[in-house]
Amino acid sequence: MKLFIKKPIAQLMAASAETEKSLKRTLGVGSLIALGIGAIIGAGIFVRTAAAAGEHAGPAVTISFLIAAAGCALAGLCYAEFASMIPIAGSAYTYSYATMGEFIAWIIGWDLVLEYALGAATVAIGWSQYFNEFLTTFFNVHIPYAWSHSFMEVSNTSTGMYAAELGTRGIINLPAILVLFLLTLLLIRGTAESAIVNNIIVVVKVAIVLLIIGLGWHFINPAFHTPYTIPADAGKIKVSAGVVDYADTFNHGWLGVLRGASVVFFAFIGFDAVSTAAQEAKNPQRDMPKGILISLVFCTVLYILFSHVLTGLVSYKDFLIQGKEASVSYAIKTAMPGYGWLASFVTVSILAGFSSVILVMLMGQTRVFYTMSTDGLIPSVFSKLHPKFRTPYKSQWLFFVFVSLFAGFIPDKYVGDMVSIGTLFAFVLVCIGILILRKTDPDIVRPFKTPAYMIVCPLGAIICLCMIASEGWENWARLIVWLLIGFVIYFRYSIKRSHVRHGKVEAANNPINPKFVE
């Protein structure tokens, strides 16, 4: 049994040719960059910044962003080389298949479900909460607690929109399912149409982030940036989930900054989703590296500036005591007199940001499974394309149901924690994959080469492993259980139907019908 049988790169390249049965190439470099920004700027900048600063890093959350960005940038260089060299859907799964073999590729493909599918569920739950805040702010109405929360949740607040529903148990999170349904319809309609909507969303949310940075800079209080890291004697703070003790190892000092990096890493999840669209890019060899790296650099600069301003407006402790999930709005209302209108528009920006993240994650997941299906590792239903739109519509509907089960019935604290560790694991293997391929296939054409790969690849893997090491044991346990489920599926189903293992080559050399070319 050859667990590490590899898929020949020549076969991968043959599969990338556009035919009537393949994904349609509609994305230019601008759309790819916007796709990356759309995936990256979402929940992280508004929610994770305050959480990481309040619990672990304090004002030094800017350094946490730099650490997380460094890991992502190093991995991003590796992704860029792979995406230009192997321009087909599948992202890290496809790259691993060519470099480390089928078994590792399966692990990555299965692992990416944690990033994309559960990531979409987590963000959809957040979207539901802010949609209710939007309705309350602008229309003075809200969706009842029971119909906007999981059956595992009970209202415990005596203030705010749910004050009259204290003690009410949730039933189902309908707004979360609604946004998943609408975005699924959009993705089925076509990648180009989805990209247009995403571009509009990106403009809206980036504009609001820039407004907060530009206007808030003049209200920064230097006293809130001193000391820059949280001291060990900062005390304890009671929060809804228990007590945050700053004396704990990863809640102060530089180890707190490292833990903060693993928290804000969620804010970067999505840049790699650009690589899943390689088979829908018009000129992937030229445009994929640009799409990945430019979007990553742009968002990193915004994150650092935004976190510097936010932690300069109020004390980092306020993010846990008074701001909580609405910390950005709280900071604006508290420290920026006369700019209450900006706090209201933050809710609009968050809704827009969440929507684009969900859109890209749903697209990324179906593209990974599309490629796994064409390899025979999962059922063929995941690679069935719509006869008109040439999108994997059946797969899109199946993932809508799967993601909706989590978004509608499970609280975000159970699904959100699995996302970051799964993504970091994928990044580690991509970095290792470039090292392997440089040795095993040095002569292959590489339109983009990772610079100083002997330094970049190991360092990228090490930084990501350090962030994984700072995760709690609960996340490790969930990852292990998830992988064990994947092993059962692989050995019971996939290994018996693998096209590469059984010599089945998916030819993609049929001439394309002109009517499909735009």
Side-chain angles (χ1 to χ4, degrees):
M1 182 186 296
K2 296 181 179 179
L3 289 180
F4 303 102
I5 185 172
K6 299 176 183 177
K7 188 171 184 179
I9 290 183
Q11 185 176 333
L12 287 169
M13 296 304 295
S16 69
E18 187 178 16
T19 71
E20 295 181 7
K21 296 181 180 180
S22 70
L23 297 168
K24 186 186 293 186
R25 294 193 180 277
T26 59
L27 302 177
V29 63
S31 293
L32 291 172
I33 293 172
L35 201 66
I37 295 173
I40 299 171
I41 297 182
I45 194 168
F46 296 109
V47 179
R48 290 283 171 156
T49 301
E55 291 189 35
H56 308 290
V61 69
T62 52
I63 301 176
S64 296
F65 272 115
L66 280 174
I67 295 172
C72 290
L74 295 172
L77 290 169
C78 298
Y79 266 98
E81 179 171 328
F82 268 131
S84 68
M85 186 172 55
I86 310 173
I88 70 171
S91 186
Y93 159 78
T94 301
Y95 311 152
S96 300
Y97 212 153
T99 57
M100 289 174 279
E102 184 177 276
F103 183 59
I104 301 298
W106 168 264
I107 292 175
I108 285 294
W110 185 247
D111 178 66
L112 286 175
V113 177
L114 294 180
E115 176 180 359
Y116 295 135
L118 297 191
T122 303
V123 179
I125 295 170
W127 188 95
S128 172
Q129 296 169 355
Y130 279 96
F131 181 64
N132 248 335
E133 184 175 324
F134 169 79
L135 292 177
T136 302
T137 301
F138 290 96
F139 302 103
N140 198 31
V141 297
H142 74 273
I143 299 171
Y145 186 93
W147 300 108
S148 56
H149 289 79
S150 158
F151 69 92
M152 300 171 65
E153 297 176 284
V154 178
S155 175
N156 61 357
T157 179
S158 57
T159 60
M161 71 180 80
Y162 298 122
E165 299 176 84
L166 183 64
T168 300
R169 177 173 292 277
I171 298 175
I172 183 174
N173 196 332
L174 287 179
I177 295 176
L178 172 65
V179 69
L180 290 169
F181 176 75
L182 294 175
L183 293 176
T184 295
L185 287 178
L186 179 61
L187 286 166
I188 290 173
R189 178 63 180 81
T191 305
E193 290 80 0
S194 302
I196 292 171
V197 173
N198 179 68
N199 293 347
I200 296 171
I201 292 174
V202 165
V203 170
V204 171
K205 62 184 179 182
V206 169
I208 293 178
V209 170
L210 290 174
L211 274 175
I212 295 173
I213 294 172
L215 297 174
W217 198 275
H218 304 290
F219 294 93
I220 292 176
N221 183 349
F224 292 134
H225 284 156
T226 305
Y228 206 56
T229 61
I230 297 177
D233 60 356
K236 300 179 180 180
I237 292 181
K238 186 176 181 181
V239 296
S240 58
V243 175
V244 173
D245 187 352
Y246 288 119
D248 289 349
T249 304
F250 286 101
N251 287 349
H252 70 271
W254 291 107
L255 287 179
V257 173
L258 179 62
R259 181 59 187 272
S262 70
V263 173
V264 299
F265 177 80
F266 184 88
F268 287 97
I269 288 176
F271 86 86
D272 57 312
V274 177
S275 65
T276 67
Q279 205 163 336
E280 292 158 279
K282 294 177 181 178
N283 190 338
Q285 286 85 355
R286 182 196 67 191
D287 295 343
M288 291 305 298
K290 293 179 180 179
I292 292 171
L293 298 176
I294 292 176
S295 61
L296 183 58
V297 170
F298 178 82
C299 293
T300 298
V301 172
L302 278 188
Y303 280 166
I304 293 172
L305 293 175
F306 182 87
S307 58
H308 179 75
V309 170
L310 186 65
T311 55
L313 295 179
V314 295
S315 168
Y316 64 87
K317 292 184 179 180
D318 285 350
F319 296 143
L320 299 182
I321 300 172
Q322 302 178 72
K324 301 180 182 179
E325 289 184 351
S327 287
V328 178
S329 296
Y330 165 78
I332 293 172
K333 293 174 181 177
T334 302
M336 296 174 61
Y339 288 96
W341 58 269
L342 184 58
S344 299
F345 277 102
V346 166
T347 303
V348 177
S349 182
I350 290 175
L351 281 176
F354 282 14
S355 298
S356 63
V357 171
I358 297 168
L359 182 77
V360 177
M361 286 186 170
L362 288 177
M363 188 189 78
Q365 182 59 69
T366 55
R367 272 47 175 185
V368 172
F369 267 40
Y370 168 84
T371 305
M372 294 178 73
S373 177
T374 60
D375 289 333
L377 301 185
I378 56 177
S380 60
V381 66
F382 290 98
S383 56
K384 297 293 184 183
L385 300 183
H386 193 284
K388 180 180 179 182
F389 305 128
R390 284 165 61 193
T391 54
Y393 69 111
K394 291 186 177 180
S395 177
Q396 210 77 67
W397 282 123
L398 287 171
F399 271 106
F400 162 69
V401 174
F402 176 74
V403 175
S404 293
L405 290 175
F406 283 92
F409 298 102
I410 308 295
D412 59 346
K413 65 179 180 180
Y414 293 114
V415 293
D417 290 342
M418 297 176 67
V419 179
S420 291
I421 193 169
T423 308
L424 285 165
F425 187 51
F427 285 8
V428 170
L429 292 182
V430 168
C431 290
I432 294 173
I434 288 294
L435 276 177
I436 293 174
L437 201 59
R438 287 292 186 98
K439 297 295 183 182
T440 59
D441 205 341
D443 298 324
I444 189 173
V445 176
R446 292 175 167 85
F448 176 88
K449 288 187 177 182
T450 301
Y453 78 97
M454 288 299 293
I455 298 175
V456 168
C457 298
L459 188 58
I462 290 170
I463 291 177
C464 291
L465 284 171
C466 287
M467 285 190 279
I468 290 175
S470 70
E471 297 278 355
W473 67 268
E474 300 94 340
N475 291 331
W476 279 98
R478 294 187 187 110
L479 177 63
I480 292 171
V481 170
W482 182 255
L483 290 177
L484 289 175
I485 295 172
F487 292 162
V488 171
I489 296 174
Y490 177 74
F491 288 109
R492 295 286 293 178
Y493 178 91
S494 306
I495 201 169
K496 300 175 184 178
R497 294 168 173 81
S498 166
H499 291 175
V500 172
R501 185 175 298 278
H502 298 292
K504 298 178 181 179
V505 179
E506 185 76 19
N509 54 5
N510 296 326
I512 185 167
N513 189 324
K515 72 179 181 179
F516 284 94
V517 181
E518 293 186 343

